Amino acid sequence: MSNEMYDVAIIGGGPAGSTAATLLARSGRRVVVLERDKFPRFHIGESLLPFSTQAFDRLGVREKLNRTFLPKHGGEIIAACGTTSAKFYFKDGYKTSRDRAYQVTRSEFDKLLLDHSRENGAEVREETMVKNIVPGHDGVRLEIEAPGGSIETIDARYLLDCSGRQTIVGNFFKLKKSYDHLQKFSVFAHYENVDRPSGIDGTLIRMVRGLDRWFWMIPLTATRMSIGVVMDTSTFRAMKLAPEEALEKCIGEQPLILEEMANSERVSPVYSAGDYSYRNAKLFGDRWILAGDAAGFIDPVFSSGVFLAIMSAEKAADSLHEILRDESQKPRLFREYSRRVNRVMDMYLTFVNSWYRGKEFVEVFLNPTEMLQLAPAVNAVLAGNEGISFAIKWRMWVFYFFVRAQRFLAFSPRLSLVPRKSEASTPLGSLESVS
């Protein structure tokens, strides 16, 4: 048992926890990170957004990332029927100065950030479980299970929950609210030797949009790719298949992907995740604050997860640093933090709702127009621009107007989004794979 008081205890050592830990430690704060796993460990969320690069510069990790990970110059959305597609390059975003992000193997990326926190003075305890939270007037007491099973107690003036989908504090205070209309299920794995274009087009994330599902194809290295499919949870259950069988079946029914996997080999287990869209009703209390997936997670479709984690952790760390210096600022800073994080989550929720509501979003997106610079504005938001400026806001309003109007009047060509089954030639089950 330790009677020493930490300034901030952080639950979770993923991108949010390590970002906050590095910033607070660099500011001279006594920080402890409590991570239940031993890094490296597998995680999904492998495609980053350019607007995180400013935070990476602040953290001092850009050179490490440049040496380790594949650049990402944009993305491509493809209609599953194979009739049309649209590429977007970050360099073409509305008044942007950020032309690239990273495609990352999360086990390596998360370990790099957590090790960087250690190097900058944060105390990191891996394989450590938080068993109980005891809020107090002047701080928070945590009961933790250390490696080996011993129970210890630590005290901190503030608690920052970056525990991801565990959302430990949110569950403790019963704040977690799921989005019933976004109950999705995803299955995914890593593959070697999937065909891809040469040059910067080979770094793009590709999303193939079907009628009731969509696929991602994320290049992780020069030879490895993450491939997954997202569908309604009810659709997955109706298949009555194990995740591995479901992934093989879905890919086998999508010629646009199957053709590129003719020489591929699965080199990871098939993973799955379900019912992952939620938000906590409150993002702060008297002695605690939530960041990253512990605050909320919308959907993986526009790669917002790591961006929101790093953005919210950076703002949380800055707020806590100021509050530790002057506690009278706490009500204002916590409210401002909550408003900003909720505003960005609302922005992505609007995007995601539009994506899933029908075919109209993809029909309009795949028929881009430079009129009024709508395409560059959408591009900027996809790159992580928070859309605060009125110049982007009104352009997004116009874009959503066309999406809504598309249901009644075909401004853009109608799409079936149904794969041409006759094009499929090789069932995925015949491809070589390893678990």
Side-chain angles (χ1 to χ4, degrees):
M1 176 176 177
S2 172
N3 293 319
E4 293 185 87
M5 177 77 77
Y6 291 93
D7 290 316
V8 181
I10 299 174
I11 305 176
S18 56
T19 294
T22 296
L23 295 176
L24 286 164
R26 282 186 162 190
S27 298
R29 301 302 178 184
R30 187 164 185 253
V31 183
V32 61
V33 179
L34 308 170
E35 167 54 51
R36 67 172 181 171
D37 293 323
K38 176 67 177 175
F39 282 23
R41 50 87 176 101
F42 179 85
H43 207 283
I44 198 62
E46 299 150 324
S47 196
L48 310 190
L49 299 183
F51 272 69
S52 295
T53 55
Q54 186 173 346
F56 294 145
D57 284 335
R58 187 179 174 194
L59 293 169
V61 296
R62 274 287 293 280
E63 289 188 7
K64 294 179 181 179
L65 297 177
N66 288 339
R67 290 195 302 266
T68 308
F69 300 113
L70 196 71
K72 170 188 174 183
H73 291 272
E76 181 179 17
I77 296 180
I78 307 167
C81 50
T83 58
T84 186
S85 65
K87 296 175 183 176
F88 58 93
Y89 300 96
F90 295 134
K91 66 179 179 62
D92 298 326
Y94 184 80
K95 293 186 177 180
T96 186
S97 59
R98 300 170 175 87
D99 67 345
R100 70 190 65 189
Y102 301 95
Q103 311 277 29
V104 301
T105 302
R106 280 291 300 275
S107 57
E108 299 176 22
F109 175 74
D110 290 8
K111 187 176 189 305
L112 184 153
L113 292 185
L114 190 61
D115 288 345
H116 191 71
S117 296
R118 284 193 182 95
E119 294 166 10
N120 281 272
E123 180 182 341
V124 176
R125 302 191 188 186
E126 297 179 80
E127 299 178 285
T128 299
M129 295 281 292
V130 175
K131 307 296 288 185
N132 193 27
I133 302 170
V134 185
H137 178 69
D138 297 320
V140 178
R141 174 162 291 181
L142 300 175
E143 294 179 6
I144 62 174
E145 182 178 327
S150 62
I151 302 298
E152 302 177 14
T153 301
I154 65 171
D155 296 298
R157 293 175 66 185
Y158 287 95
L159 174 63
L160 174 55
D161 185 5
C162 300
S163 61
R165 290 183 61 196
Q166 283 184 283
T167 185
I168 289 176
V169 172
N171 285 327
F172 182 82
F173 289 108
K174 296 180 171 58
L175 301 172
K176 190 174 181 180
K177 306 294 181 184
S178 296
Y179 290 107
D180 292 337
H181 68 293
L182 291 176
Q183 296 311 293
K184 305 293 179 180
F185 196 90
S186 60
V187 287
F188 44 90
H190 289 174
Y191 296 83
E192 285 282 340
N193 302 318
V194 179
D195 289 343
R196 69 179 78 174
S198 59
I200 65 171
D201 283 1
T203 76
L204 305 183
I205 179 175
R206 305 180 72 198
M207 294 175 283
V208 179
R209 173 62 196 273
L211 194 60
D212 65 347
R213 67 197 63 178
W214 65 272
F215 298 82
W216 75 70
M217 302 179 73
I218 302 174
L220 300 176
T221 70
T223 60
R224 181 165 297 195
M225 186 172 289
S226 171
I227 297 179
V229 60
V230 177
M231 68 195 80
D232 287 344
T233 300
S234 58
T235 301
F236 172 77
R237 289 174 178 165
M239 288 183 177
K240 297 181 179 179
L241 297 174
E244 180 175 324
E245 297 170 314
L247 182 60
E248 290 183 355
K249 181 177 188 296
C250 290
I251 293 175
E253 294 172 346
Q254 180 45 259
L256 294 175
I257 297 176
L258 188 61
E259 290 169 3
E260 297 183 3
M261 298 182 67
N263 301 310
S264 68
E265 175 188 8
R266 179 163 60 82
V267 291
S268 79
V270 173
Y271 299 93
S272 63
D275 299 341
Y276 38 65
S277 296
Y278 60 89
R279 195 189 305 196
N280 282 291
K282 287 179 60 179
L283 301 189
F284 68 90
D286 183 50
R287 289 283 161 178
W288 54 266
I289 189 168
L290 312 181
D293 289 357
F297 184 79
I298 306 302
D299 192 89
V301 63
F302 296 117
S303 304
S304 62
V306 175
F307 165 72
L308 284 167
I310 292 172
M311 181 277 292
S312 60
E314 184 179 13
K315 302 309 176 189
D318 290 344
S319 298
L320 288 170
H321 176 59
E322 291 299 317
I323 291 165
L324 287 163
R325 188 159 51 190
D326 180 2
E327 295 231 349
S328 69
Q329 300 298 312
K330 178 169 62 175
R332 176 183 65 83
L333 289 169
F334 273 9
R335 285 196 302 270
E336 289 177 357
Y337 170 81
S338 180
R339 280 196 297 267
R340 177 156 187 186
V341 173
N342 275 307
R343 184 185 67 238
V344 178
M345 284 198 285
D346 284 341
M347 179 188 75
Y348 279 105
L349 181 61
T350 301
F351 240 140
V352 168
N353 285 340
S354 186
W355 170 265
Y356 284 119
R357 189 170 289 123
K359 296 187 293 182
E360 293 82 16
F361 179 98
V362 74
E363 287 172 345
V364 173
F365 187 93
L366 294 182
N367 186 41
T369 175
E370 293 300 319
M371 180 184 67
L372 304 177
Q373 293 186 287
L374 296 186
V378 175
N379 187 338
V381 173
L382 290 174
N385 187 307
E386 297 177 27
I388 298 172
S389 72
F390 182 70
I392 288 183
K393 278 184 178 179
W394 75 258
R395 287 176 169 86
M396 293 305 299
W397 292 335
V398 174
F399 172 75
Y400 287 125
F401 166 78
F402 280 113
V403 170
R404 289 191 296 271
Q406 175 73 9
R407 176 165 298 192
F408 309 101
L409 184 63
F411 291 101
S412 301
R414 301 291 190 190
L415 300 171
S416 73
L417 302 184
V418 177
R420 297 177 181 175
K421 294 183 179 180
S422 60
E423 295 179 12
S425 57
T426 306
L428 185 66
S430 68
L431 300 181
E432 184 179 2
S433 65
V434 297
S435 299

